[in-house]
Amino acid sequence: MQIRDDEERGAVESRRALESVTAYRFATEASDAAWDDASAMKCEPLLAEVAPQLVRAIGSVAANIAEGYARRSARDRIRFYEYALGSVEESRAWYQLARRCLAEDSLSGRLKRLDSMRRLLLVMIANERRGGEWNHRKS
């Protein structure tokens, strides 16, 4: 019974630690916004097929950060953070394609948030490559 309690406590602590990662928080917030944007995009017949791709790409950012964060080796963390970085770039491309059907201020805000995620991920990757303890864990 004690082992199970310790495992559950560890899982809760790990989840809290992940949620303290700014790039992860930004990605989950961006995912919520992407749902609204995808709804607007579906009203434009030419973008109806792009909308689900935007939602998947944005969702992939958070998913890859979470998966990387859970990895024990720096090499594995870097790989997943790089996947997240690729999904940020894919999301930018989908937003650029949808620029005609989204409000300019909304689009600008979404792109700025993606730029912030890109910068944060690049720092996370660089810190992992240097062997830094930016996330308070060791490989």
Side-chain angles (χ1 to χ4, degrees), residues 11-139:
V12 168
E13 289 173 12
S14 179
R15 186 72 186 165
R16 281 189 194 134
L18 173 61
E19 289 172 355
S20 73
V21 175
T22 305
Y24 178 78
R25 279 197 331 271
F26 282 5
T28 58
E29 292 166 6
S31 181
D32 290 340
W35 276 88
D36 295 334
D37 298 337
S39 293
M41 291 165 64
K42 283 193 157 213
C43 293
E44 171 56 54
L46 295 173
L47 295 174
E49 292 182 26
V50 170
Q53 292 177 285
L54 170 67
V55 172
R56 279 194 296 275
I58 292 273
S60 179
V61 177
N64 279 301
I65 292 170
E67 189 159 354
Y69 192 82
R71 297 299 172 139
R72 296 189 53 86
S73 76
R75 185 179 196 167
D76 282 344
R77 284 191 297 275
I78 290 167
R79 181 167 34 104
F80 282 97
Y81 296 158
E82 286 176 340
Y83 292 156
L85 187 59
S87 293
V88 165
E89 296 305 323
E90 179 184 358
S91 299
R92 283 186 60 78
W94 293 129
Y95 270 120
Q96 289 293 341
L97 187 63
R99 71 187 176 279
R100 289 184 179 95
C101 84
L102 298 175
E104 191 173 325
D105 58 332
S106 292
L107 178 63
S108 175
R110 306 298 193 256
L111 294 173
K112 285 179 184 176
R113 180 54 57 106
L114 287 167
D115 288 343
S116 294
M117 284 188 277
R118 178 195 305 131
R119 284 190 299 274
L120 289 165
L121 283 162
L122 288 170
V123 168
M124 290 165 63
I125 292 165
N127 285 339
E128 288 294 340
R129 286 190 175 132
R130 283 195 301 269
E133 294 186 40
W134 68 272
N135 63 0
H136 311 292
R137 296 185 318 156
K138 288 193 173 195
S139 299

